[in-house]
Amino acid sequence: EVQLVESGGGLVQPGGSLRLSCAASGFSFSSYGMNWVRQAPGKGLEWISFISSSGSPIYYADSVKGRFTISRDNARNSLYLQMNSLRDEDTAVYYCARESLAATGSRLYCFDCWGQGTLVTVSS
Amino acid sequence: DIQMTQSPSTLSASVGDRVTITCRASQSISSWLAWYQQKPGKAPKLLIYKASTLESGVPSRFSGSGSGTEFTLTISSLQPDDFATYYCQQYSIYWTFGQGTKVEIK
């Protein structure tokens, strides 16, 4: 069964740091690009970062550029998001999401598998 | 940045109704558009990609159409399991989601 499980969320003060993890299982993790998407309470979805299957290229949304760092460890089937200089507006459920691949192996660019999410609350 | 605008924001409908949700892009995105369904407290689920391709396992009552800047998601006969929030997503340049359309029971 394809599965993504996020962890590492919690309560952090403004200006603080947090590291999220996403453990993948049931598929060849090293073959897939991965993303982080967040959802503030009662709000819509916001894509925040992408990392390719090999680890490069990497992209960020402007809202987190310079503060968040995405990384992956293909040997451990894990995706990470290092979040620094956290702000109140970073409060959200954070999802990891797999980029879909066609049967031929070509990228489809949409997200076909999502974790259950981990809640990050930034508050003093 | 490419902005995605969905309409309506909320839609009230009954079981069996035909439902259409519109998504407009701020610039042409060809057919690089996906639709997702999200239920409260759950992760989004991919329904349609490349504007009109149904994801494996998704019921055929869901369909997508459009290209360029205007797209639609249609549910041909609304079922009880379909009451949820729907998001469009462009992936022409990076990734951007629409603000969502909540389909609620009339």
PDB file of all heavy atoms in Angstrom, chain A residues 83-109:
ATOM      1  N   MET A  83      11.903  24.307   8.812  1.00  0.00           N
ATOM      2  CA  MET A  83      11.190  25.587   8.844  1.00  0.00           C
ATOM      3  C   MET A  83      11.834  26.484   9.888  1.00  0.00           C
ATOM      4  O   MET A  83      11.848  26.153  11.080  1.00  0.00           O
ATOM      5  CB  MET A  83       9.713  25.350   9.168  1.00  0.00           C
ATOM      6  CG  MET A  83       9.029  24.387   8.213  1.00  0.00           C
ATOM      7  SD  MET A  83       7.258  24.244   8.510  1.00  0.00           S
ATOM      8  CE  MET A  83       7.256  23.552  10.136  1.00  0.00           C
ATOM      9  N   ASN A  84      12.386  27.603   9.444  1.00  0.00           N
ATOM     10  CA  ASN A  84      13.020  28.572  10.331  1.00  0.00           C
ATOM     11  C   ASN A  84      12.265  29.892  10.298  1.00  0.00           C
ATOM     12  O   ASN A  84      11.446  30.117   9.400  1.00  0.00           O
ATOM     13  CB  ASN A  84      14.479  28.799   9.915  1.00  0.00           C
ATOM     14  CG  ASN A  84      15.326  27.545  10.003  1.00  0.00           C
ATOM     15  OD1 ASN A  84      15.050  26.656  10.821  1.00  0.00           O
ATOM     16  ND2 ASN A  84      16.338  27.457   9.172  1.00  0.00           N
ATOM     17  N   SER A  85      12.551  30.730  11.264  1.00  0.00           N
ATOM     18  CA  SER A  85      11.937  32.077  11.337  1.00  0.00           C
ATOM     19  C   SER A  85      10.427  31.999  11.163  1.00  0.00           C
ATOM     20  O   SER A  85       9.830  32.726  10.364  1.00  0.00           O
ATOM     21  CB  SER A  85      12.542  32.984  10.260  1.00  0.00           C
ATOM     22  OG  SER A  85      13.938  33.070  10.404  1.00  0.00           O
ATOM     23  N   LEU A  86       9.818  31.105  11.919  1.00  0.00           N
ATOM     24  CA  LEU A  86       8.382  30.867  11.756  1.00  0.00           C
ATOM     25  C   LEU A  86       7.550  32.074  12.172  1.00  0.00           C
ATOM     26  O   LEU A  86       7.908  32.802  13.114  1.00  0.00           O
ATOM     27  CB  LEU A  86       7.975  29.620  12.541  1.00  0.00           C
ATOM     28  CG  LEU A  86       8.369  28.308  11.834  1.00  0.00           C
ATOM     29  CD1 LEU A  86       8.379  27.145  12.806  1.00  0.00           C
ATOM     30  CD2 LEU A  86       7.415  28.047  10.678  1.00  0.00           C
ATOM     31  N   ARG A  87       6.458  32.257  11.464  1.00  0.00           N
ATOM     32  CA  ARG A  87       5.540  33.380  11.678  1.00  0.00           C
ATOM     33  C   ARG A  87       4.153  32.843  12.021  1.00  0.00           C
ATOM     34  O   ARG A  87       3.836  31.695  11.716  1.00  0.00           O
ATOM     35  CB  ARG A  87       5.455  34.232  10.413  1.00  0.00           C
ATOM     36  CG  ARG A  87       6.783  34.712   9.870  1.00  0.00           C
ATOM     37  CD  ARG A  87       6.630  35.236   8.460  1.00  0.00           C
ATOM     38  NE  ARG A  87       7.900  35.727   7.904  1.00  0.00           N
ATOM     39  CZ  ARG A  87       8.086  36.014   6.617  1.00  0.00           C
ATOM     40  NH1 ARG A  87       7.084  35.855   5.751  1.00  0.00           N
ATOM     41  NH2 ARG A  87       9.256  36.459   6.212  1.00  0.00           N
ATOM     42  N   ASP A  88       3.333  33.714  12.585  1.00  0.00           N
ATOM     43  CA  ASP A  88       1.955  33.321  12.889  1.00  0.00           C
ATOM     44  C   ASP A  88       1.254  32.744  11.653  1.00  0.00           C
ATOM     45  O   ASP A  88       0.503  31.766  11.752  1.00  0.00           O
ATOM     46  CB  ASP A  88       1.161  34.539  13.379  1.00  0.00           C
ATOM     47  CG  ASP A  88       1.611  35.021  14.737  1.00  0.00           C
ATOM     48  OD1 ASP A  88       2.435  34.334  15.380  1.00  0.00           O
ATOM     49  OD2 ASP A  88       1.137  36.089  15.173  1.00  0.00           O
ATOM     50  N   GLU A  89       1.511  33.364  10.508  1.00  0.00           N
ATOM     51  CA  GLU A  89       0.818  32.952   9.279  1.00  0.00           C
ATOM     52  C   GLU A  89       1.307  31.620   8.711  1.00  0.00           C
ATOM     53  O   GLU A  89       0.772  31.130   7.724  1.00  0.00           O
ATOM     54  CB  GLU A  89       0.918  34.036   8.197  1.00  0.00           C
ATOM     55  CG  GLU A  89       2.324  34.452   7.839  1.00  0.00           C
ATOM     56  CD  GLU A  89       2.789  35.687   8.606  1.00  0.00           C
ATOM     57  OE1 GLU A  89       2.385  35.865   9.783  1.00  0.00           O
ATOM     58  OE2 GLU A  89       3.561  36.478   8.022  1.00  0.00           O
ATOM     59  N   ASP A  90       2.303  31.024   9.335  1.00  0.00           N
ATOM     60  CA  ASP A  90       2.752  29.675   8.947  1.00  0.00           C
ATOM     61  C   ASP A  90       1.930  28.594   9.634  1.00  0.00           C
ATOM     62  O   ASP A  90       2.110  27.400   9.344  1.00  0.00           O
ATOM     63  CB  ASP A  90       4.230  29.481   9.275  1.00  0.00           C
ATOM     64  CG  ASP A  90       5.134  30.396   8.464  1.00  0.00           C
ATOM     65  OD1 ASP A  90       4.867  30.577   7.262  1.00  0.00           O
ATOM     66  OD2 ASP A  90       6.113  30.922   9.050  1.00  0.00           O
ATOM     67  N   THR A  91       1.044  29.000  10.537  1.00  0.00           N
ATOM     68  CA  THR A  91       0.171  28.027  11.201  1.00  0.00           C
ATOM     69  C   THR A  91      -0.700  27.327  10.167  1.00  0.00           C
ATOM     70  O   THR A  91      -1.431  27.974   9.413  1.00  0.00           O
ATOM     71  CB  THR A  91      -0.719  28.724  12.249  1.00  0.00           C
ATOM     72  OG1 THR A  91       0.103  29.222  13.303  1.00  0.00           O
ATOM     73  CG2 THR A  91      -1.748  27.755  12.819  1.00  0.00           C
ATOM     74  N   ALA A  92      -0.614  26.008  10.125  1.00  0.00           N
ATOM     75  CA  ALA A  92      -1.317  25.241   9.094  1.00  0.00           C
ATOM     76  C   ALA A  92      -1.124  23.751   9.323  1.00  0.00           C
ATOM     77  O   ALA A  92      -0.249  23.340  10.093  1.00  0.00           O
ATOM     78  CB  ALA A  92      -0.792  25.607   7.707  1.00  0.00           C
ATOM     79  N   VAL A  93      -1.926  22.974   8.632  1.00  0.00           N
ATOM     80  CA  VAL A  93      -1.640  21.549   8.467  1.00  0.00           C
ATOM     81  C   VAL A  93      -0.708  21.430   7.273  1.00  0.00           C
ATOM     82  O   VAL A  93      -0.974  22.009   6.214  1.00  0.00           O
ATOM     83  CB  VAL A  93      -2.924  20.736   8.228  1.00  0.00           C
ATOM     84  CG1 VAL A  93      -2.584  19.293   7.878  1.00  0.00           C
ATOM     85  CG2 VAL A  93      -3.827  20.797   9.453  1.00  0.00           C
ATOM     86  N   TYR A  94       0.381  20.701   7.462  1.00  0.00           N
ATOM     87  CA  TYR A  94       1.367  20.511   6.407  1.00  0.00           C
ATOM     88  C   TYR A  94       1.253  19.089   5.867  1.00  0.00           C
ATOM     89  O   TYR A  94       1.332  18.119   6.629  1.00  0.00           O
ATOM     90  CB  TYR A  94       2.772  20.780   6.930  1.00  0.00           C
ATOM     91  CG  TYR A  94       3.041  22.259   7.104  1.00  0.00           C
ATOM     92  CD1 TYR A  94       2.456  22.964   8.155  1.00  0.00           C
ATOM     93  CD2 TYR A  94       3.856  22.964   6.220  1.00  0.00           C
ATOM     94  CE1 TYR A  94       2.671  24.325   8.314  1.00  0.00           C
ATOM     95  CE2 TYR A  94       4.090  24.322   6.363  1.00  0.00           C
ATOM     96  CZ  TYR A  94       3.489  24.994   7.414  1.00  0.00           C
ATOM     97  OH  TYR A  94       3.707  26.349   7.568  1.00  0.00           O
ATOM     98  N   TYR A  95       1.065  19.007   4.556  1.00  0.00           N
ATOM     99  CA  TYR A  95       0.963  17.720   3.879  1.00  0.00           C
ATOM    100  C   TYR A  95       2.196  17.485   3.011  1.00  0.00           C
ATOM    101  O   TYR A  95       2.654  18.409   2.332  1.00  0.00           O
ATOM    102  CB  TYR A  95      -0.238  17.682   2.943  1.00  0.00           C
ATOM    103  CG  TYR A  95      -1.600  17.792   3.582  1.00  0.00           C
ATOM    104  CD1 TYR A  95      -2.294  19.003   3.605  1.00  0.00           C
ATOM    105  CD2 TYR A  95      -2.233  16.675   4.122  1.00  0.00           C
ATOM    106  CE1 TYR A  95      -3.561  19.098   4.155  1.00  0.00           C
ATOM    107  CE2 TYR A  95      -3.498  16.757   4.681  1.00  0.00           C
ATOM    108  CZ  TYR A  95      -4.152  17.982   4.692  1.00  0.00           C
ATOM    109  OH  TYR A  95      -5.414  18.063   5.232  1.00  0.00           O
ATOM    110  N   CYS A  96       2.680  16.253   2.987  1.00  0.00           N
ATOM    111  CA  CYS A  96       3.593  15.882   1.911  1.00  0.00           C
ATOM    112  C   CYS A  96       2.761  15.219   0.827  1.00  0.00           C
ATOM    113  O   CYS A  96       1.745  14.569   1.107  1.00  0.00           O
ATOM    114  CB  CYS A  96       4.724  14.970   2.393  1.00  0.00           C
ATOM    115  SG  CYS A  96       4.218  13.392   3.084  1.00  0.00           S
ATOM    116  N   ALA A  97       3.168  15.418  -0.416  1.00  0.00           N
ATOM    117  CA  ALA A  97       2.397  14.922  -1.545  1.00  0.00           C
ATOM    118  C   ALA A  97       3.338  14.446  -2.644  1.00  0.00           C
ATOM    119  O   ALA A  97       4.312  15.122  -2.974  1.00  0.00           O
ATOM    120  CB  ALA A  97       1.471  16.018  -2.079  1.00  0.00           C
ATOM    121  N   ARG A  98       3.023  13.312  -3.203  1.00  0.00           N
ATOM    122  CA  ARG A  98       3.834  12.724  -4.255  1.00  0.00           C
ATOM    123  C   ARG A  98       3.395  13.248  -5.613  1.00  0.00           C
ATOM    124  O   ARG A  98       2.196  13.334  -5.912  1.00  0.00           O
ATOM    125  CB  ARG A  98       3.684  11.198  -4.215  1.00  0.00           C
ATOM    126  CG  ARG A  98       4.574  10.449  -5.167  1.00  0.00           C
ATOM    127  CD  ARG A  98       4.314   8.950  -5.083  1.00  0.00           C
ATOM    128  NE  ARG A  98       3.117   8.544  -5.822  1.00  0.00           N
ATOM    129  CZ  ARG A  98       2.791   7.282  -6.041  1.00  0.00           C
ATOM    130  NH1 ARG A  98       3.546   6.309  -5.568  1.00  0.00           N
ATOM    131  NH2 ARG A  98       1.690   6.986  -6.725  1.00  0.00           N
ATOM    132  N   GLU A  99       4.385  13.567  -6.455  1.00  0.00           N
ATOM    133  CA  GLU A  99       4.073  13.954  -7.816  1.00  0.00           C
ATOM    134  C   GLU A  99       3.820  12.694  -8.634  1.00  0.00           C
ATOM    135  O   GLU A  99       4.595  11.745  -8.586  1.00  0.00           O
ATOM    136  CB  GLU A  99       5.219  14.745  -8.423  1.00  0.00           C
ATOM    137  CG  GLU A  99       4.906  15.282  -9.805  1.00  0.00           C
ATOM    138  CD  GLU A  99       6.096  15.978 -10.432  1.00  0.00           C
ATOM    139  OE1 GLU A  99       7.034  15.261 -10.859  1.00  0.00           O
ATOM    140  OE2 GLU A  99       6.098  17.205 -10.502  1.00  0.00           O
ATOM    141  N   SER A 100       2.746  12.720  -9.381  1.00  0.00           N
ATOM    142  CA  SER A 100       2.342  11.540 -10.133  1.00  0.00           C
ATOM    143  C   SER A 100       3.266  11.258 -11.317  1.00  0.00           C
ATOM    144  O   SER A 100       3.815  12.183 -11.931  1.00  0.00           O
ATOM    145  CB  SER A 100       0.907  11.748 -10.629  1.00  0.00           C
ATOM    146  OG  SER A 100       0.443  10.600 -11.293  1.00  0.00           O
ATOM    147  N   LEU A 101       3.443   9.987 -11.610  1.00  0.00           N
ATOM    148  CA  LEU A 101       4.185   9.549 -12.779  1.00  0.00           C
ATOM    149  C   LEU A 101       3.275   8.720 -13.680  1.00  0.00           C
ATOM    150  O   LEU A 101       2.440   7.951 -13.188  1.00  0.00           O
ATOM    151  CB  LEU A 101       5.390   8.687 -12.390  1.00  0.00           C
ATOM    152  CG  LEU A 101       6.562   9.354 -11.680  1.00  0.00           C
ATOM    153  CD1 LEU A 101       7.637   8.306 -11.370  1.00  0.00           C
ATOM    154  CD2 LEU A 101       7.134  10.487 -12.515  1.00  0.00           C
ATOM    155  N   ALA A 102       3.438   8.864 -14.988  1.00  0.00           N
ATOM    156  CA  ALA A 102       2.727   8.009 -15.925  1.00  0.00           C
ATOM    157  C   ALA A 102       3.357   6.617 -15.907  1.00  0.00           C
ATOM    158  O   ALA A 102       4.449   6.422 -15.372  1.00  0.00           O
ATOM    159  CB  ALA A 102       2.792   8.608 -17.322  1.00  0.00           C
ATOM    160  N   ALA A 103       2.653   5.666 -16.521  1.00  0.00           N
ATOM    161  CA  ALA A 103       3.176   4.305 -16.600  1.00  0.00           C
ATOM    162  C   ALA A 103       4.515   4.256 -17.337  1.00  0.00           C
ATOM    163  O   ALA A 103       5.348   3.390 -17.084  1.00  0.00           O
ATOM    164  CB  ALA A 103       2.161   3.402 -17.297  1.00  0.00           C
ATOM    165  N   THR A 104       4.732   5.231 -18.196  1.00  0.00           N
ATOM    166  CA  THR A 104       5.985   5.317 -18.944  1.00  0.00           C
ATOM    167  C   THR A 104       7.113   5.899 -18.105  1.00  0.00           C
ATOM    168  O   THR A 104       8.264   5.887 -18.520  1.00  0.00           O
ATOM    169  CB  THR A 104       5.810   6.219 -20.176  1.00  0.00           C
ATOM    170  OG1 THR A 104       5.359   7.507 -19.712  1.00  0.00           O
ATOM    171  CG2 THR A 104       4.794   5.645 -21.140  1.00  0.00           C
ATOM    172  N   GLY A 105       6.748   6.453 -16.934  1.00  0.00           N
ATOM    173  CA  GLY A 105       7.748   7.072 -16.072  1.00  0.00           C
ATOM    174  C   GLY A 105       7.858   8.571 -16.243  1.00  0.00           C
ATOM    175  O   GLY A 105       8.615   9.228 -15.519  1.00  0.00           O
ATOM    176  N   SER A 106       7.117   9.132 -17.169  1.00  0.00           N
ATOM    177  CA  SER A 106       7.173  10.575 -17.373  1.00  0.00           C
ATOM    178  C   SER A 106       6.363  11.288 -16.291  1.00  0.00           C
ATOM    179  O   SER A 106       5.371  10.769 -15.772  1.00  0.00           O
ATOM    180  CB  SER A 106       6.651  10.948 -18.760  1.00  0.00           C
ATOM    181  OG  SER A 106       5.320  10.522 -18.920  1.00  0.00           O
ATOM    182  N   ARG A 107       6.788  12.484 -15.958  1.00  0.00           N
ATOM    183  CA  ARG A 107       6.140  13.255 -14.902  1.00  0.00           C
ATOM    184  C   ARG A 107       4.773  13.751 -15.347  1.00  0.00           C
ATOM    185  O   ARG A 107       4.603  14.181 -16.483  1.00  0.00           O
ATOM    186  CB  ARG A 107       7.011  14.464 -14.523  1.00  0.00           C
ATOM    187  CG  ARG A 107       8.324  14.131 -13.882  1.00  0.00           C
ATOM    188  CD  ARG A 107       9.160  15.377 -13.684  1.00  0.00           C
ATOM    189  NE  ARG A 107       8.508  16.341 -12.790  1.00  0.00           N
ATOM    190  CZ  ARG A 107       8.927  17.595 -12.642  1.00  0.00           C
ATOM    191  NH1 ARG A 107       9.964  18.034 -13.338  1.00  0.00           N
ATOM    192  NH2 ARG A 107       8.311  18.422 -11.805  1.00  0.00           N
ATOM    193  N   LEU A 108       3.799  13.674 -14.445  1.00  0.00           N
ATOM    194  CA  LEU A 108       2.465  14.199 -14.725  1.00  0.00           C
ATOM    195  C   LEU A 108       2.203  15.509 -13.992  1.00  0.00           C
ATOM    196  O   LEU A 108       1.221  16.179 -14.281  1.00  0.00           O
ATOM    197  CB  LEU A 108       1.397  13.169 -14.352  1.00  0.00           C
ATOM    198  CG  LEU A 108       1.389  11.900 -15.205  1.00  0.00           C
ATOM    199  CD1 LEU A 108       0.334  10.915 -14.714  1.00  0.00           C
ATOM    200  CD2 LEU A 108       1.146  12.234 -16.677  1.00  0.00           C
ATOM    201  N   TYR A 109       3.036  15.858 -13.023  1.00  0.00           N
ATOM    202  CA  TYR A 109       3.063  17.157 -12.345  1.00  0.00           C
ATOM    203  C   TYR A 109       1.931  17.377 -11.345  1.00  0.00           C
ATOM    204  O   TYR A 109       1.996  18.307 -10.559  1.00  0.00           O
ATOM    205  CB  TYR A 109       3.087  18.324 -13.358  1.00  0.00           C
ATOM    206  CG  TYR A 109       4.270  18.254 -14.289  1.00  0.00           C
ATOM    207  CD1 TYR A 109       4.155  17.677 -15.553  1.00  0.00           C
ATOM    208  CD2 TYR A 109       5.507  18.733 -13.895  1.00  0.00           C
ATOM    209  CE1 TYR A 109       5.259  17.582 -16.391  1.00  0.00           C
ATOM    210  CE2 TYR A 109       6.614  18.650 -14.735  1.00  0.00           C
ATOM    211  CZ  TYR A 109       6.471  18.081 -15.978  1.00  0.00           C
ATOM    212  OH  TYR A 109       7.553  17.990 -16.795  1.00  0.00           O
TER     213      TYR A 109
END
